Amino acid sequence: MTANGEIAFSLEEADAFARKVLVACGLAADHAAAVAQTMVSGERDGCTSHGLYRLLVAANSVARGVVVPDAVPEVSEPAKALVKVDGKGGFAQLPFELGMPLLVEKARAYGIAAMALNNVVHFAALWPEVEALAEQGLVALAFTPSHAWVAPEGGTKPVFGTNPIAFGWPRPDRAPFVFDFATSAVARGEIELHRRAGKAIPPDWGYDADGRPSTDAKAVLDGAMRTFGSHKGSALAAMVELLAGPLIGDMTSAESLAADEGRGGSPIGGELIVVIDPAGFLGDSLDEYLKRAETMFETIEGQGARLPGSRRLLARARSQVEGVRIPAQLHADILEILERGN
Amino acid sequence: MTANGEIAFSLEEADAFARKVLVACGLAADHAAAVAQTMVSGERDGCTSHGLYRLLVAANSVARGVVVPDAVPEVSEPAKALVKVDGKGGFAQLPFELGMPLLVEKARAYGIAAMALNNVVHFAALWPEVEALAEQGLVALAFTPSHAWVAPEGGTKPVFGTNPIAFGWPRPDRAPFVFDFATSAVARGEIELHRRAGKAIPPDWGYDADGRPSTDAKAVLDGAMRTFGSHKGSALAAMVELLAGPLIGDMTSAESLAADEGRGGSPIGGELIVVIDPAGFLGDSLDEYLKRAETMFETIEGQGARLPGSRRLLARARSQVEGVRIPAQLHADILEILERGN
């Protein structure tokens, strides 16, 4: 334990620790490896809410029967440039890993391709997926619904999930340009943190169950969150529902929440990933145009503005040297899972 | 002329009038037909800023040599699921029309396809394009940069264009679900209107040339506009630059503004359209899942919230019965083009 009550891990130790815990929860070894990698990536990149803390969330989903811990995903090709992975109710990470090589192959063969992950349980951010694809030199977009917690602009009743959009762009000789954000005004976890701390939330984050704007975190959790960016954010939230729900034969956020039956598990449903090979349009001009994109990034950073994802990459560089640290209390809570086997 | 100083047209009359004016400007007949259709669609749908008023804008672009009025677009297939149309410096409408059949064919054949329009001049909204694709039963996304007028979040100097995103979704037995919005906080034309009226703008629309938030419309037009939705809108604006600029071998908004050389023409550059065939993922379940999407739309409208595009469809229904009306002064200004042949 460090002086300020934190537990330190190297990234390798964190990965081994997370795997051990997940296997103790009942996850099959391949699922545990894929899920651990995502959680350690989050911790490494300073996204603590998507880091090792999620071991508790994953354990809860297993304990409540929300996730199939040893699901065997099935990869298929519904059309020439489409990949479908039926996750069979397991976590999303392994299905993504299993489908990704075929997705990359198809994007390179056809110029563009898409992959649907169906029937998967989602607890993580989308950036690890688009980043992995951008690291292969591809441009990637990802979308997923969640649970119906967010009201459309002009209404006050939940319809949408927090419905994130992620985007990855390959950069020569450096980490890809990656963003990933919820189309809700804030993350649901942010409201949860205010509730725990007994703190008021800003009046434009959501509505109570009677449809009145509220500064009471619990009232908004029980009512409806708002989207970011007014009617534009609301339109994007609807798009995410459609693209990663009905379009791929999977659930909307409302259907997913209903399927949870009050167990409070992570959302189950689908994810859509669209991949474009820049070499498709660019051919021999690939390098020239990737350089033009770099010029745009320089114009942004040159005026002191931050690129999306830059804070994550800074945290990553630090973690790769110093490892990661988690609060002693969180460590103790995780050890408890290890002891009781769930 | 009507009692309140407006000139009335049936939709057919408006189309014939617009074609005649465009041909008088020097546009080749096929370009004039495609451009007229887009302008009349805008007027019909109550988007007057993208309606017949744009005849003046198009005439200006021709007069200043920004657009090639008789360009012969060239359709090619850089990869199996990609279509590229080189617009050769002409307006975007004809290249879209010429490339669309192949794009639709590829989307149906591969499940997903994309089309780049390159070297085209843009004066119109993107919704006519995604709507035309959704009317074919396809899901469509469209992106285009413009001129560098918009600052990234955290900065105050222009990098992005107004960079719209449009989305179309097919609905059984009714007009598609369509949205189309700029990723800037407001349309540039909105600030222009404030400038003409000598009215102050809200302080969060943009910055003056010294990087200070300003309520002076002219100062912001000469400085930088802001994106909508803070860092999330800014991330999307960057994505649009990348997708419809470097990815397709075309200009960024900064490059396009530089290419204009102060002529004040409409932006020249590229557009990316991504199309997914819902039957690809859904097969025999297509109807079932399109119905599930309808359930989501009902949940939105059932609580009194408006779907994006609903105002446009109301205006359309009215125009189809009553025709359209334009201010007498605008009509006179357009007639002047007709007389002087430009």
Side-chain angles (χ1 to χ4, degrees):
Chain A
M1 196 182 301
T2 65
N4 55 352
E6 290 179 320
I7 310 296
F9 294 91
S10 71
L11 295 180
E12 295 69 26
E13 287 165 350
D15 187 68
F17 176 66
R19 280 184 200 226
K20 196 162 83 171
V21 173
L22 291 164
V23 168
C25 288
L27 248 62
D30 51 0
H31 277 289
V35 168
Q37 193 189 2
T38 295
M39 288 179 181
V40 174
S41 298
E43 195 69 44
R44 176 198 69 194
D45 284 13
C47 315
T48 49
S49 69
H50 284 103
L52 295 178
Y53 153 75
R54 294 273 158 163
L55 288 167
L56 303 178
V57 176
N60 179 61
S61 283
V62 178
R64 294 179 176 248
V66 170
V67 71
V68 178
D70 56 355
V72 179
E74 199 178 292
V75 179
S76 61
E77 304 180 44
K80 283 182 184 148
L82 301 181
V83 179
K84 178 185 164 74
V85 189
D86 183 345
K88 305 283 182 74
F91 283 121
Q93 283 65 35
L94 183 63
F96 173 75
E97 277 186 15
L98 293 174
M100 182 172 148
L102 188 57
L103 176 63
V104 169
E105 187 189 314
K106 286 184 180 297
R108 297 221 168 101
Y110 299 104
I112 186 168
M115 176 160 78
L117 305 181
N118 288 113
N119 198 11
V120 294
V121 174
H122 252 294
F123 65 84
L126 292 177
W127 64 256
E129 282 138 55
V130 296
E131 184 173 72
L133 289 158
E135 280 168 353
Q136 306 267 331
L138 303 168
V139 175
L141 280 153
F143 314 90
T144 186
S146 63
H147 278 163
W149 289 319
V150 180
E153 183 69 14
T156 60
K157 301 294 173 197
V159 175
F160 308 133
T162 48
N163 292 11
I165 297 176
F167 175 72
W169 174 270
R171 301 184 66 183
D173 308 318
R174 52 198 305 172
F177 171 82
V178 167
F179 68 74
D180 174 7
F181 60 77
T183 51
S184 50
V186 290
R188 190 164 179 84
E190 191 64 35
I191 304 180
E192 188 63 49
L193 286 176
H194 279 73
R195 186 189 63 76
R196 287 188 199 189
K199 278 168 58 184
I201 57 171
D204 57 353
W205 283 10
Y207 305 100
D208 65 20
D210 297 322
R212 291 171 307 211
S214 175
T215 59
D216 177 347
K218 183 169 185 320
V220 168
L221 290 171
D222 295 340
M225 299 162 66
R226 292 182 65 172
T227 64
F228 93 103
S230 175
H231 70 282
K232 297 181 181 179
S234 185
L236 290 169
M239 180 185 81
V240 172
E241 284 290 325
L242 294 165
L243 288 179
L247 176 66
I248 61 169
D250 218 310
M251 286 190 274
T252 61
S253 295
E255 291 165 347
S256 181
L257 184 60
D260 187 66
E261 294 178 325
R263 288 174 292 177
S266 293
I268 185 159
E271 175 179 339
L272 176 69
I273 302 165
V274 173
V275 178
I276 306 177
D277 180 5
F281 281 118
L282 293 171
D284 292 342
S285 310
L286 178 63
D287 291 347
E288 177 199 337
Y289 281 96
L290 288 182
K291 264 182 215 145
R292 291 209 201 182
E294 292 303 308
T295 303
M296 188 193 77
F297 294 134
E298 283 158 21
T299 319
I300 295 172
E301 292 190 308
Q303 59 179 290
R306 251 203 305 254
L307 290 187
S310 56
R311 235 183 312 205
R312 243 181 355 85
L313 296 178
L314 278 176
R316 179 182 302 183
R318 197 170 50 239
S319 300
Q320 278 161 343
V321 176
E322 299 174 6
V324 294
R325 291 155 186 234
I326 64 171
Q329 183 57 53
L330 173 59
H331 188 240
D333 292 345
I334 296 171
L335 287 181
E336 218 173 284
I337 302 173
L338 208 49
E339 278 157 29
R340 71 165 189 267
N342 201 302
Chain B
M1 197 182 299
T2 64
N4 54 352
E6 291 179 321
I7 309 296
F9 293 90
S10 71
L11 294 181
E12 294 71 26
E13 287 165 351
D15 188 69
F17 175 66
R19 280 186 200 225
K20 196 162 84 173
V21 172
L22 291 164
V23 168
C25 288
L27 249 62
D30 50 0
H31 277 288
V35 168
Q37 193 190 3
T38 295
M39 288 180 180
V40 173
S41 298
E43 194 70 45
R44 176 199 69 194
D45 283 14
C47 316
T48 50
S49 70
H50 284 101
L52 294 179
Y53 153 75
R54 293 274 157 162
L55 287 168
L56 303 178
V57 176
N60 179 62
S61 284
V62 178
R64 293 179 176 248
V66 170
V67 70
V68 178
D70 56 355
V72 179
E74 199 177 292
V75 180
S76 62
E77 304 180 42
K80 283 182 183 146
L82 301 182
V83 180
K84 177 184 163 77
V85 189
D86 182 345
K88 305 284 182 75
F91 283 120
Q93 283 65 37
L94 183 63
F96 172 74
E97 277 185 16
L98 293 175
M100 181 171 148
L102 187 58
L103 175 64
V104 169
E105 186 188 314
K106 285 185 180 298
R108 296 221 169 100
Y110 298 106
I112 186 169
M115 176 161 78
L117 304 182
N118 289 112
N119 198 13
V120 295
V121 175
H122 253 294
F123 65 83
L126 292 177
W127 64 258
E129 282 138 54
V130 296
E131 183 174 72
L133 289 158
E135 280 169 351
Q136 307 266 332
L138 302 168
V139 175
L141 279 153
F143 314 89
T144 188
S146 63
H147 279 163
W149 289 318
V150 180
E153 183 70 14
T156 60
K157 301 293 173 198
V159 175
F160 308 132
T162 48
N163 291 13
I165 297 176
F167 175 71
W169 175 270
R171 301 185 67 183
D173 308 320
R174 51 196 308 170
F177 172 82
V178 167
F179 68 75
D180 173 7
F181 59 78
T183 53
S184 51
V186 290
R188 190 162 178 86
E190 191 65 36
I191 303 181
E192 187 63 50
L193 285 176
H194 279 74
R195 186 188 63 76
R196 288 189 199 188
K199 277 167 59 183
I201 58 171
D204 56 353
W205 283 9
Y207 305 99
D208 65 20
D210 296 322
R212 291 171 305 211
S214 174
T215 59
D216 178 346
K218 182 169 185 319
V220 167
L221 289 171
D222 294 340
M225 299 162 66
R226 293 182 65 172
T227 64
F228 93 103
S230 175
H231 71 282
K232 297 181 182 180
S234 184
L236 290 170
M239 180 186 82
V240 172
E241 284 290 328
L242 295 165
L243 287 179
L247 176 66
I248 61 170
D250 218 311
M251 287 190 274
T252 60
S253 295
E255 292 165 347
S256 179
L257 184 59
D260 186 66
E261 295 178 326
R263 289 174 292 178
S266 293
I268 186 158
E271 175 179 340
L272 176 70
I273 302 166
V274 173
V275 178
I276 306 176
D277 180 5
F281 281 118
L282 294 171
D284 293 342
S285 309
L286 178 63
D287 291 348
E288 178 199 338
Y289 281 94
L290 288 182
K291 266 183 214 142
R292 290 209 201 182
E294 293 303 307
T295 302
M296 188 194 77
F297 294 134
E298 283 157 21
T299 318
I300 295 172
E301 292 192 305
Q303 58 179 290
R306 252 202 305 252
L307 290 186
S310 56
R311 235 183 311 207
R312 242 180 358 83
L313 295 179
L314 278 176
R316 179 182 301 183
R318 198 169 50 240
S319 301
Q320 277 161 341
V321 176
E322 300 174 5
V324 295
R325 291 157 185 230
I326 64 170
Q329 183 58 53
L330 173 59
H331 187 241
D333 291 346
I334 296 171
L335 287 182
E336 219 173 282
I337 303 173
L338 208 49
E339 279 157 28
R340 73 164 189 267
N342 200 302

